[in-house]
Amino acid sequence: MTGLLTDAVWTVARRFPTGVSVVTAGSGPTARGTTVSAFCFLSHDPALVSVCLRRRSKVLELLRAGFTVNVLAGNQGSLARRFASRERGTDQFDGVDWTPGAAGIPRLVDTVCWLDCLSSQVIRVGDHDLVVARVTGIGADPERRPLLYYAGALHPLQSEEP
Ligand SMILES: Cc1cc2nc3c(=O)[nH]c(=O)nc-3n(C[C@H](O)[C@H](O)[C@H](O)COP(=O)(O)O)c2cc1C
């Protein structure tokens, strides 16, 4: 694919609306999180989901021991930005509200929902890895509305519940 076509694909991809999640993994001093839009429900029974991460993501190496997908609420844009930052040497969770979930993995509070996951397959897809995972635990707050990512910006969902 030419660079021109790659650019065109990204221009179109930016117009595709998604939710915004933070994938957390590890515990204690090894805990890390990263912001993702590429989270997907794949199968109902068994319950399978996927996340797609850049191959050099610092979180990828931690996923084998389990991870949590924290689906952000409309007022959590600052968390999306914080966990998308490549700044190193700072505690990503400093000042963030979280509780220890399965295996001590940080679970962010006041999200729309969270899913504890165990990876079952990692598939190389271009410069990303697609992680397919089994859902082992789930929780949701039906009162909270999601944060959306569209046209390169974060937007709280505005419309009424259908
Ligand atoms: C709204 C939003 C969505 C993102 N979605 C993804 C994604 O699906 N996959 C990915 O690899 N990076 C995604 N990123 C970029 C990562 O969050 C960012 O590159 C991060 O610094 C990677 O850190 P890491 O190396 O610790 O994983 C997204 C960033 C933002 C702001």
Side-chain angles (χ1 to χ4, degrees), residues 18-21 32-39 52-60 80-81 83-88 92 128 149 153-154:
T18 67
V20 184
S21 303
R32 276 206 72 81
T34 193
T35 302
V36 298
S37 54
F39 163 69
C52 197
L53 292 172
R54 204 170 48 93
R55 185 147 311 119
R56 279 198 299 259
S57 166
K58 294 279 176 234
V59 170
L60 258 179
R81 282 184 284 273
F83 286 99
S85 162
R86 297 242 172 91
E87 213 175 288
R88 302 292 182 221
Q92 286 187 303
H128 279 53
Y149 186 53
L154 300 166

PDB file of all heavy atoms in Angstrom, residues 18-21 32-39 52-60 80-81 83-88 92 128 149 153-154, ligand 1:
ATOM      1  N   THR A  18     -15.847   5.303  18.103  1.00  0.00           N
ATOM      2  CA  THR A  18     -15.625   4.166  19.016  1.00  0.00           C
ATOM      3  C   THR A  18     -15.841   4.627  20.453  1.00  0.00           C
ATOM      4  O   THR A  18     -15.859   5.833  20.732  1.00  0.00           O
ATOM      5  CB  THR A  18     -14.175   3.632  18.934  1.00  0.00           C
ATOM      6  OG1 THR A  18     -13.302   4.633  19.453  1.00  0.00           O
ATOM      7  CG2 THR A  18     -13.774   3.264  17.526  1.00  0.00           C
ATOM      8  N   GLY A  19     -15.928   3.667  21.363  1.00  0.00           N
ATOM      9  CA  GLY A  19     -15.829   3.968  22.780  1.00  0.00           C
ATOM     10  C   GLY A  19     -14.362   4.142  23.143  1.00  0.00           C
ATOM     11  O   GLY A  19     -13.471   4.002  22.285  1.00  0.00           O
ATOM     12  N   VAL A  20     -14.089   4.471  24.394  1.00  0.00           N
ATOM     13  CA  VAL A  20     -12.709   4.653  24.851  1.00  0.00           C
ATOM     14  C   VAL A  20     -12.524   3.859  26.145  1.00  0.00           C
ATOM     15  O   VAL A  20     -13.324   4.003  27.083  1.00  0.00           O
ATOM     16  CB  VAL A  20     -12.388   6.141  25.108  1.00  0.00           C
ATOM     17  CG1 VAL A  20     -10.925   6.308  25.487  1.00  0.00           C
ATOM     18  CG2 VAL A  20     -12.733   6.994  23.898  1.00  0.00           C
ATOM     19  N   SER A  21     -11.490   3.029  26.167  1.00  0.00           N
ATOM     20  CA  SER A  21     -11.219   2.200  27.347  1.00  0.00           C
ATOM     21  C   SER A  21      -9.768   2.378  27.766  1.00  0.00           C
ATOM     22  O   SER A  21      -8.928   2.791  26.965  1.00  0.00           O
ATOM     23  CB  SER A  21     -11.439   0.720  27.027  1.00  0.00           C
ATOM     24  OG  SER A  21     -12.745   0.519  26.548  1.00  0.00           O
ATOM     25  N   ARG A  32       0.462  -1.050  34.849  1.00  0.00           N
ATOM     26  CA  ARG A  32       0.465  -0.057  33.760  1.00  0.00           C
ATOM     27  C   ARG A  32      -0.917  -0.016  33.127  1.00  0.00           C
ATOM     28  O   ARG A  32      -1.701  -0.965  33.253  1.00  0.00           O
ATOM     29  CB  ARG A  32       1.477  -0.433  32.671  1.00  0.00           C
ATOM     30  CG  ARG A  32       2.892   0.004  32.943  1.00  0.00           C
ATOM     31  CD  ARG A  32       3.672   0.176  31.647  1.00  0.00           C
ATOM     32  NE  ARG A  32       3.251   1.352  30.893  1.00  0.00           N
ATOM     33  CZ  ARG A  32       3.669   2.596  31.157  1.00  0.00           C
ATOM     34  NH1 ARG A  32       4.521   2.826  32.132  1.00  0.00           N
ATOM     35  NH2 ARG A  32       3.251   3.600  30.417  1.00  0.00           N
ATOM     36  N   GLY A  33      -1.191   1.054  32.454  1.00  0.00           N
ATOM     37  CA  GLY A  33      -2.440   1.158  31.717  1.00  0.00           C
ATOM     38  C   GLY A  33      -2.182   1.833  30.392  1.00  0.00           C
ATOM     39  O   GLY A  33      -1.206   2.579  30.244  1.00  0.00           O
ATOM     40  N   THR A  34      -3.038   1.547  29.419  1.00  0.00           N
ATOM     41  CA  THR A  34      -2.933   2.233  28.134  1.00  0.00           C
ATOM     42  C   THR A  34      -4.340   2.462  27.568  1.00  0.00           C
ATOM     43  O   THR A  34      -5.221   1.619  27.744  1.00  0.00           O
ATOM     44  CB  THR A  34      -2.036   1.445  27.144  1.00  0.00           C
ATOM     45  OG1 THR A  34      -1.724   2.285  26.038  1.00  0.00           O
ATOM     46  CG2 THR A  34      -2.701   0.190  26.626  1.00  0.00           C
ATOM     47  N   THR A  35      -4.510   3.595  26.934  1.00  0.00           N
ATOM     48  CA  THR A  35      -5.810   3.959  26.357  1.00  0.00           C
ATOM     49  C   THR A  35      -6.018   3.239  25.034  1.00  0.00           C
ATOM     50  O   THR A  35      -5.104   3.220  24.201  1.00  0.00           O
ATOM     51  CB  THR A  35      -5.859   5.485  26.135  1.00  0.00           C
ATOM     52  OG1 THR A  35      -5.631   6.116  27.393  1.00  0.00           O
ATOM     53  CG2 THR A  35      -7.191   5.936  25.565  1.00  0.00           C
ATOM     54  N   VAL A  36      -7.186   2.651  24.838  1.00  0.00           N
ATOM     55  CA  VAL A  36      -7.482   1.990  23.565  1.00  0.00           C
ATOM     56  C   VAL A  36      -8.874   2.360  23.060  1.00  0.00           C
ATOM     57  O   VAL A  36      -9.814   2.516  23.831  1.00  0.00           O
ATOM     58  CB  VAL A  36      -7.396   0.442  23.651  1.00  0.00           C
ATOM     59  CG1 VAL A  36      -6.016  -0.040  24.009  1.00  0.00           C
ATOM     60  CG2 VAL A  36      -8.421  -0.145  24.573  1.00  0.00           C
ATOM     61  N   SER A  37      -8.957   2.488  21.748  1.00  0.00           N
ATOM     62  CA  SER A  37     -10.266   2.560  21.101  1.00  0.00           C
ATOM     63  C   SER A  37     -10.582   1.202  20.476  1.00  0.00           C
ATOM     64  O   SER A  37     -11.736   0.879  20.239  1.00  0.00           O
ATOM     65  CB  SER A  37     -10.282   3.656  20.035  1.00  0.00           C
ATOM     66  OG  SER A  37      -9.218   3.464  19.138  1.00  0.00           O
ATOM     67  N   ALA A  38      -9.531   0.406  20.227  1.00  0.00           N
ATOM     68  CA  ALA A  38      -9.699  -0.883  19.543  1.00  0.00           C
ATOM     69  C   ALA A  38     -10.035  -1.995  20.527  1.00  0.00           C
ATOM     70  O   ALA A  38      -9.256  -2.937  20.729  1.00  0.00           O
ATOM     71  CB  ALA A  38      -8.440  -1.210  18.756  1.00  0.00           C
ATOM     72  N   PHE A  39     -11.181  -1.841  21.170  1.00  0.00           N
ATOM     73  CA  PHE A  39     -11.710  -2.898  22.035  1.00  0.00           C
ATOM     74  C   PHE A  39     -12.994  -3.392  21.386  1.00  0.00           C
ATOM     75  O   PHE A  39     -13.785  -2.593  20.871  1.00  0.00           O
ATOM     76  CB  PHE A  39     -12.008  -2.352  23.431  1.00  0.00           C
ATOM     77  CG  PHE A  39     -12.913  -3.241  24.231  1.00  0.00           C
ATOM     78  CD1 PHE A  39     -12.474  -4.479  24.673  1.00  0.00           C
ATOM     79  CD2 PHE A  39     -14.213  -2.860  24.525  1.00  0.00           C
ATOM     80  CE1 PHE A  39     -13.314  -5.326  25.384  1.00  0.00           C
ATOM     81  CE2 PHE A  39     -15.060  -3.691  25.242  1.00  0.00           C
ATOM     82  CZ  PHE A  39     -14.611  -4.925  25.674  1.00  0.00           C
ATOM     83  N   CYS A  52      -6.624  -4.424  20.497  1.00  0.00           N
ATOM     84  CA  CYS A  52      -5.561  -4.374  19.498  1.00  0.00           C
ATOM     85  C   CYS A  52      -4.550  -3.322  19.941  1.00  0.00           C
ATOM     86  O   CYS A  52      -4.892  -2.151  20.108  1.00  0.00           O
ATOM     87  CB  CYS A  52      -6.180  -4.035  18.141  1.00  0.00           C
ATOM     88  SG  CYS A  52      -5.075  -4.407  16.785  1.00  0.00           S
ATOM     89  N   LEU A  53      -3.312  -3.772  20.157  1.00  0.00           N
ATOM     90  CA  LEU A  53      -2.289  -2.874  20.710  1.00  0.00           C
ATOM     91  C   LEU A  53      -1.076  -2.814  19.794  1.00  0.00           C
ATOM     92  O   LEU A  53      -0.670  -3.846  19.220  1.00  0.00           O
ATOM     93  CB  LEU A  53      -1.832  -3.376  22.088  1.00  0.00           C
ATOM     94  CG  LEU A  53      -2.865  -3.300  23.205  1.00  0.00           C
ATOM     95  CD1 LEU A  53      -2.337  -4.004  24.452  1.00  0.00           C
ATOM     96  CD2 LEU A  53      -3.182  -1.848  23.534  1.00  0.00           C
ATOM     97  N   ARG A  54      -0.517  -1.637  19.712  1.00  0.00           N
ATOM     98  CA  ARG A  54       0.739  -1.407  19.007  1.00  0.00           C
ATOM     99  C   ARG A  54       1.761  -2.417  19.528  1.00  0.00           C
ATOM    100  O   ARG A  54       1.851  -2.645  20.734  1.00  0.00           O
ATOM    101  CB  ARG A  54       1.192   0.003  19.388  1.00  0.00           C
ATOM    102  CG  ARG A  54       2.095   0.740  18.488  1.00  0.00           C
ATOM    103  CD  ARG A  54       2.173   2.193  18.987  1.00  0.00           C
ATOM    104  NE  ARG A  54       2.425   2.252  20.421  1.00  0.00           N
ATOM    105  CZ  ARG A  54       3.624   2.346  20.982  1.00  0.00           C
ATOM    106  NH1 ARG A  54       4.703   2.416  20.241  1.00  0.00           N
ATOM    107  NH2 ARG A  54       3.752   2.398  22.287  1.00  0.00           N
ATOM    108  N   ARG A  55       2.553  -3.038  18.612  1.00  0.00           N
ATOM    109  CA  ARG A  55       3.429  -4.124  19.065  1.00  0.00           C
ATOM    110  C   ARG A  55       4.426  -3.675  20.130  1.00  0.00           C
ATOM    111  O   ARG A  55       4.841  -4.474  20.960  1.00  0.00           O
ATOM    112  CB  ARG A  55       4.166  -4.755  17.879  1.00  0.00           C
ATOM    113  CG  ARG A  55       4.990  -5.957  18.297  1.00  0.00           C
ATOM    114  CD  ARG A  55       5.096  -7.046  17.250  1.00  0.00           C
ATOM    115  NE  ARG A  55       3.832  -7.404  16.699  1.00  0.00           N
ATOM    116  CZ  ARG A  55       3.536  -7.284  15.401  1.00  0.00           C
ATOM    117  NH1 ARG A  55       4.413  -6.833  14.564  1.00  0.00           N
ATOM    118  NH2 ARG A  55       2.353  -7.625  14.966  1.00  0.00           N
ATOM    119  N   ARG A  56       4.804  -2.416  20.152  1.00  0.00           N
ATOM    120  CA  ARG A  56       5.788  -1.970  21.149  1.00  0.00           C
ATOM    121  C   ARG A  56       5.123  -1.486  22.445  1.00  0.00           C
ATOM    122  O   ARG A  56       5.812  -0.969  23.329  1.00  0.00           O
ATOM    123  CB  ARG A  56       6.673  -0.867  20.563  1.00  0.00           C
ATOM    124  CG  ARG A  56       7.799  -1.444  19.704  1.00  0.00           C
ATOM    125  CD  ARG A  56       8.893  -0.431  19.491  1.00  0.00           C
ATOM    126  NE  ARG A  56       8.375   0.738  18.788  1.00  0.00           N
ATOM    127  CZ  ARG A  56       8.552   0.957  17.483  1.00  0.00           C
ATOM    128  NH1 ARG A  56       9.255   0.127  16.772  1.00  0.00           N
ATOM    129  NH2 ARG A  56       8.055   2.015  16.903  1.00  0.00           N
ATOM    130  N   SER A  57       3.809  -1.666  22.589  1.00  0.00           N
ATOM    131  CA  SER A  57       3.114  -1.206  23.789  1.00  0.00           C
ATOM    132  C   SER A  57       3.719  -1.845  25.040  1.00  0.00           C
ATOM    133  O   SER A  57       3.955  -3.052  25.092  1.00  0.00           O
ATOM    134  CB  SER A  57       1.632  -1.556  23.712  1.00  0.00           C
ATOM    135  OG  SER A  57       1.048  -1.412  24.991  1.00  0.00           O
ATOM    136  N   LYS A  58       3.962  -0.999  26.047  1.00  0.00           N
ATOM    137  CA  LYS A  58       4.540  -1.475  27.313  1.00  0.00           C
ATOM    138  C   LYS A  58       3.574  -2.410  28.045  1.00  0.00           C
ATOM    139  O   LYS A  58       3.977  -3.160  28.928  1.00  0.00           O
ATOM    140  CB  LYS A  58       4.864  -0.283  28.220  1.00  0.00           C
ATOM    141  CG  LYS A  58       5.947   0.603  27.693  1.00  0.00           C
ATOM    142  CD  LYS A  58       7.319   0.010  28.005  1.00  0.00           C
ATOM    143  CE  LYS A  58       8.415   0.852  27.396  1.00  0.00           C
ATOM    144  NZ  LYS A  58       9.329   0.122  26.546  1.00  0.00           N
ATOM    145  N   VAL A  59       2.303  -2.334  27.708  1.00  0.00           N
ATOM    146  CA  VAL A  59       1.307  -3.134  28.419  1.00  0.00           C
ATOM    147  C   VAL A  59       1.256  -4.572  27.877  1.00  0.00           C
ATOM    148  O   VAL A  59       0.965  -5.507  28.612  1.00  0.00           O
ATOM    149  CB  VAL A  59      -0.081  -2.452  28.307  1.00  0.00           C
ATOM    150  CG1 VAL A  59      -1.192  -3.332  28.812  1.00  0.00           C
ATOM    151  CG2 VAL A  59      -0.078  -1.146  29.102  1.00  0.00           C
ATOM    152  N   LEU A  60       1.611  -4.717  26.581  1.00  0.00           N
ATOM    153  CA  LEU A  60       1.477  -6.033  25.933  1.00  0.00           C
ATOM    154  C   LEU A  60       2.134  -7.158  26.725  1.00  0.00           C
ATOM    155  O   LEU A  60       1.541  -8.205  26.944  1.00  0.00           O
ATOM    156  CB  LEU A  60       2.116  -5.980  24.547  1.00  0.00           C
ATOM    157  CG  LEU A  60       1.193  -5.854  23.355  1.00  0.00           C
ATOM    158  CD1 LEU A  60       1.989  -5.797  22.074  1.00  0.00           C
ATOM    159  CD2 LEU A  60       0.171  -6.974  23.295  1.00  0.00           C
ATOM    160  N   ALA A  80      -8.358   9.217  29.763  1.00  0.00           N
ATOM    161  CA  ALA A  80      -8.001   8.773  28.411  1.00  0.00           C
ATOM    162  C   ALA A  80      -6.680   9.421  27.995  1.00  0.00           C
ATOM    163  O   ALA A  80      -5.785   8.766  27.450  1.00  0.00           O
ATOM    164  CB  ALA A  80      -9.113   9.129  27.433  1.00  0.00           C
ATOM    165  N   ARG A  81      -6.541  10.731  28.276  1.00  0.00           N
ATOM    166  CA  ARG A  81      -5.321  11.448  27.888  1.00  0.00           C
ATOM    167  C   ARG A  81      -4.128  10.988  28.723  1.00  0.00           C
ATOM    168  O   ARG A  81      -3.044  10.767  28.208  1.00  0.00           O
ATOM    169  CB  ARG A  81      -5.529  12.959  28.009  1.00  0.00           C
ATOM    170  CG  ARG A  81      -6.331  13.527  26.849  1.00  0.00           C
ATOM    171  CD  ARG A  81      -6.442  15.039  26.942  1.00  0.00           C
ATOM    172  NE  ARG A  81      -7.417  15.433  27.948  1.00  0.00           N
ATOM    173  CZ  ARG A  81      -8.714  15.567  27.717  1.00  0.00           C
ATOM    174  NH1 ARG A  81      -9.196  15.364  26.510  1.00  0.00           N
ATOM    175  NH2 ARG A  81      -9.538  15.899  28.679  1.00  0.00           N
ATOM    176  N   PHE A  83      -3.558   8.076  30.183  1.00  0.00           N
ATOM    177  CA  PHE A  83      -3.055   6.736  29.856  1.00  0.00           C
ATOM    178  C   PHE A  83      -2.638   6.608  28.391  1.00  0.00           C
ATOM    179  O   PHE A  83      -2.174   5.553  27.979  1.00  0.00           O
ATOM    180  CB  PHE A  83      -4.082   5.676  30.267  1.00  0.00           C
ATOM    181  CG  PHE A  83      -4.138   5.471  31.762  1.00  0.00           C
ATOM    182  CD1 PHE A  83      -5.123   6.072  32.530  1.00  0.00           C
ATOM    183  CD2 PHE A  83      -3.167   4.713  32.400  1.00  0.00           C
ATOM    184  CE1 PHE A  83      -5.156   5.905  33.913  1.00  0.00           C
ATOM    185  CE2 PHE A  83      -3.184   4.533  33.769  1.00  0.00           C
ATOM    186  CZ  PHE A  83      -4.186   5.131  34.536  1.00  0.00           C
ATOM    187  N   ALA A  84      -2.806   7.670  27.613  1.00  0.00           N
ATOM    188  CA  ALA A  84      -2.292   7.679  26.237  1.00  0.00           C
ATOM    189  C   ALA A  84      -0.925   8.358  26.190  1.00  0.00           C
ATOM    190  O   ALA A  84      -0.274   8.365  25.148  1.00  0.00           O
ATOM    191  CB  ALA A  84      -3.262   8.410  25.319  1.00  0.00           C
ATOM    192  N   SER A  85      -0.500   8.918  27.315  1.00  0.00           N
ATOM    193  CA  SER A  85       0.768   9.651  27.334  1.00  0.00           C
ATOM    194  C   SER A  85       1.933   8.669  27.377  1.00  0.00           C
ATOM    195  O   SER A  85       1.893   7.669  28.092  1.00  0.00           O
ATOM    196  CB  SER A  85       0.796  10.566  28.558  1.00  0.00           C
ATOM    197  OG  SER A  85       2.121  10.943  28.808  1.00  0.00           O
ATOM    198  N   ARG A  86       2.963   8.959  26.572  1.00  0.00           N
ATOM    199  CA  ARG A  86       4.138   8.067  26.545  1.00  0.00           C
ATOM    200  C   ARG A  86       5.162   8.481  27.600  1.00  0.00           C
ATOM    201  O   ARG A  86       6.257   7.928  27.644  1.00  0.00           O
ATOM    202  CB  ARG A  86       4.786   8.097  25.168  1.00  0.00           C
ATOM    203  CG  ARG A  86       3.890   7.575  24.075  1.00  0.00           C
ATOM    204  CD  ARG A  86       4.490   6.326  23.413  1.00  0.00           C
ATOM    205  NE  ARG A  86       3.524   5.734  22.496  1.00  0.00           N
ATOM    206  CZ  ARG A  86       3.433   6.047  21.215  1.00  0.00           C
ATOM    207  NH1 ARG A  86       4.251   6.915  20.700  1.00  0.00           N
ATOM    208  NH2 ARG A  86       2.534   5.471  20.459  1.00  0.00           N
ATOM    209  N   GLU A  87       4.822   9.443  28.440  1.00  0.00           N
ATOM    210  CA  GLU A  87       5.782   9.910  29.456  1.00  0.00           C
ATOM    211  C   GLU A  87       6.185   8.739  30.347  1.00  0.00           C
ATOM    212  O   GLU A  87       5.327   7.995  30.828  1.00  0.00           O
ATOM    213  CB  GLU A  87       5.111  10.969  30.319  1.00  0.00           C
ATOM    214  CG  GLU A  87       6.071  12.039  30.801  1.00  0.00           C
ATOM    215  CD  GLU A  87       5.302  13.120  31.543  1.00  0.00           C
ATOM    216  OE1 GLU A  87       4.586  13.876  30.864  1.00  0.00           O
ATOM    217  OE2 GLU A  87       5.411  13.143  32.757  1.00  0.00           O
ATOM    218  N   ARG A  88       7.469   8.560  30.530  1.00  0.00           N
ATOM    219  CA  ARG A  88       7.953   7.444  31.341  1.00  0.00           C
ATOM    220  C   ARG A  88       8.485   7.962  32.670  1.00  0.00           C
ATOM    221  O   ARG A  88       8.748   9.136  32.835  1.00  0.00           O
ATOM    222  CB  ARG A  88       9.082   6.690  30.614  1.00  0.00           C
ATOM    223  CG  ARG A  88       8.669   6.143  29.264  1.00  0.00           C
ATOM    224  CD  ARG A  88       7.660   5.021  29.427  1.00  0.00           C
ATOM    225  NE  ARG A  88       7.291   4.453  28.148  1.00  0.00           N
ATOM    226  CZ  ARG A  88       6.053   4.106  27.827  1.00  0.00           C
ATOM    227  NH1 ARG A  88       5.058   4.314  28.665  1.00  0.00           N
ATOM    228  NH2 ARG A  88       5.798   3.570  26.661  1.00  0.00           N
ATOM    229  N   GLN A  92       1.795   6.206  36.672  1.00  0.00           N
ATOM    230  CA  GLN A  92       0.582   6.500  35.885  1.00  0.00           C
ATOM    231  C   GLN A  92      -0.661   6.599  36.764  1.00  0.00           C
ATOM    232  O   GLN A  92      -1.623   7.245  36.401  1.00  0.00           O
ATOM    233  CB  GLN A  92       0.333   5.369  34.892  1.00  0.00           C
ATOM    234  CG  GLN A  92       1.230   5.310  33.696  1.00  0.00           C
ATOM    235  CD  GLN A  92       0.712   4.229  32.762  1.00  0.00           C
ATOM    236  OE1 GLN A  92       0.581   3.082  33.158  1.00  0.00           O
ATOM    237  NE2 GLN A  92       0.432   4.594  31.531  1.00  0.00           N
ATOM    238  N   HIS A 128       0.491  -4.167  14.764  1.00  0.00           N
ATOM    239  CA  HIS A 128      -0.226  -4.323  16.036  1.00  0.00           C
ATOM    240  C   HIS A 128      -0.337  -5.811  16.398  1.00  0.00           C
ATOM    241  O   HIS A 128      -0.098  -6.678  15.562  1.00  0.00           O
ATOM    242  CB  HIS A 128      -1.640  -3.731  15.934  1.00  0.00           C
ATOM    243  CG  HIS A 128      -1.685  -2.236  16.103  1.00  0.00           C
ATOM    244  ND1 HIS A 128      -0.916  -1.380  15.361  1.00  0.00           N
ATOM    245  CD2 HIS A 128      -2.412  -1.449  16.944  1.00  0.00           C
ATOM    246  CE1 HIS A 128      -1.166  -0.117  15.731  1.00  0.00           C
ATOM    247  NE2 HIS A 128      -2.075  -0.140  16.697  1.00  0.00           N
ATOM    248  N   TYR A 149     -14.800   8.441  20.991  1.00  0.00           N
ATOM    249  CA  TYR A 149     -13.652   8.975  20.255  1.00  0.00           C
ATOM    250  C   TYR A 149     -14.073   9.091  18.798  1.00  0.00           C
ATOM    251  O   TYR A 149     -14.465   8.109  18.171  1.00  0.00           O
ATOM    252  CB  TYR A 149     -12.475   8.009  20.409  1.00  0.00           C
ATOM    253  CG  TYR A 149     -11.182   8.499  19.821  1.00  0.00           C
ATOM    254  CD1 TYR A 149     -10.662   9.744  20.149  1.00  0.00           C
ATOM    255  CD2 TYR A 149     -10.451   7.684  18.961  1.00  0.00           C
ATOM    256  CE1 TYR A 149      -9.464  10.175  19.616  1.00  0.00           C
ATOM    257  CE2 TYR A 149      -9.234   8.101  18.433  1.00  0.00           C
ATOM    258  CZ  TYR A 149      -8.752   9.353  18.770  1.00  0.00           C
ATOM    259  OH  TYR A 149      -7.564   9.773  18.245  1.00  0.00           O
ATOM    260  N   ALA A 153     -11.006  13.408  18.408  1.00  0.00           N
ATOM    261  CA  ALA A 153     -11.322  14.115  19.664  1.00  0.00           C
ATOM    262  C   ALA A 153     -12.220  13.250  20.550  1.00  0.00           C
ATOM    263  O   ALA A 153     -12.878  12.317  20.074  1.00  0.00           O
ATOM    264  CB  ALA A 153     -12.008  15.439  19.348  1.00  0.00           C
ATOM    265  N   LEU A 154     -12.230  13.565  21.830  1.00  0.00           N
ATOM    266  CA  LEU A 154     -13.040  12.851  22.806  1.00  0.00           C
ATOM    267  C   LEU A 154     -14.352  13.596  23.006  1.00  0.00           C
ATOM    268  O   LEU A 154     -14.353  14.820  23.128  1.00  0.00           O
ATOM    269  CB  LEU A 154     -12.280  12.763  24.138  1.00  0.00           C
ATOM    270  CG  LEU A 154     -10.933  12.030  24.059  1.00  0.00           C
ATOM    271  CD1 LEU A 154     -10.113  12.296  25.317  1.00  0.00           C
ATOM    272  CD2 LEU A 154     -11.146  10.536  23.860  1.00  0.00           C
TER     273      LEU A 154
HETATM  274  C1  LIG B   1      -8.577   7.889  22.289  1.00  0.00           C
HETATM  275  C2  LIG B   1      -7.329   7.050  22.078  1.00  0.00           C
HETATM  276  C3  LIG B   1      -7.455   5.753  21.600  1.00  0.00           C
HETATM  277  C4  LIG B   1      -6.306   4.953  21.414  1.00  0.00           C
HETATM  278  N1  LIG B   1      -6.458   3.671  20.969  1.00  0.00           N
HETATM  279  C5  LIG B   1      -5.377   2.866  20.852  1.00  0.00           C
HETATM  280  C6  LIG B   1      -5.532   1.491  20.472  1.00  0.00           C
HETATM  281  O1  LIG B   1      -6.646   1.009  20.252  1.00  0.00           O
HETATM  282  N2  LIG B   1      -4.403   0.735  20.385  1.00  0.00           N
HETATM  283  C7  LIG B   1      -3.153   1.243  20.641  1.00  0.00           C
HETATM  284  O2  LIG B   1      -2.165   0.506  20.533  1.00  0.00           O
HETATM  285  N3  LIG B   1      -2.973   2.540  20.995  1.00  0.00           N
HETATM  286  C8  LIG B   1      -4.062   3.357  21.122  1.00  0.00           C
HETATM  287  N4  LIG B   1      -3.901   4.651  21.513  1.00  0.00           N
HETATM  288  C9  LIG B   1      -2.545   5.159  21.740  1.00  0.00           C
HETATM  289  C10 LIG B   1      -1.952   4.688  23.066  1.00  0.00           C
HETATM  290  O3  LIG B   1      -2.833   4.944  24.159  1.00  0.00           O
HETATM  291  C11 LIG B   1      -0.624   5.450  23.295  1.00  0.00           C
HETATM  292  O4  LIG B   1       0.206   5.221  22.193  1.00  0.00           O
HETATM  293  C12 LIG B   1       0.103   5.044  24.553  1.00  0.00           C
HETATM  294  O5  LIG B   1       1.091   5.993  24.807  1.00  0.00           O
HETATM  295  C13 LIG B   1       0.780   3.718  24.434  1.00  0.00           C
HETATM  296  O6  LIG B   1       1.461   3.483  25.653  1.00  0.00           O
HETATM  297  P1  LIG B   1       2.087   2.037  25.962  1.00  0.00           P
HETATM  298  O7  LIG B   1       3.319   1.910  25.123  1.00  0.00           O
HETATM  299  O8  LIG B   1       2.377   2.036  27.423  1.00  0.00           O
HETATM  300  O9  LIG B   1       1.018   1.050  25.581  1.00  0.00           O
HETATM  301  C14 LIG B   1      -5.025   5.472  21.705  1.00  0.00           C
HETATM  302  C15 LIG B   1      -4.917   6.792  22.197  1.00  0.00           C
HETATM  303  C16 LIG B   1      -6.052   7.564  22.380  1.00  0.00           C
HETATM  304  C17 LIG B   1      -5.908   8.968  22.923  1.00  0.00           C
END
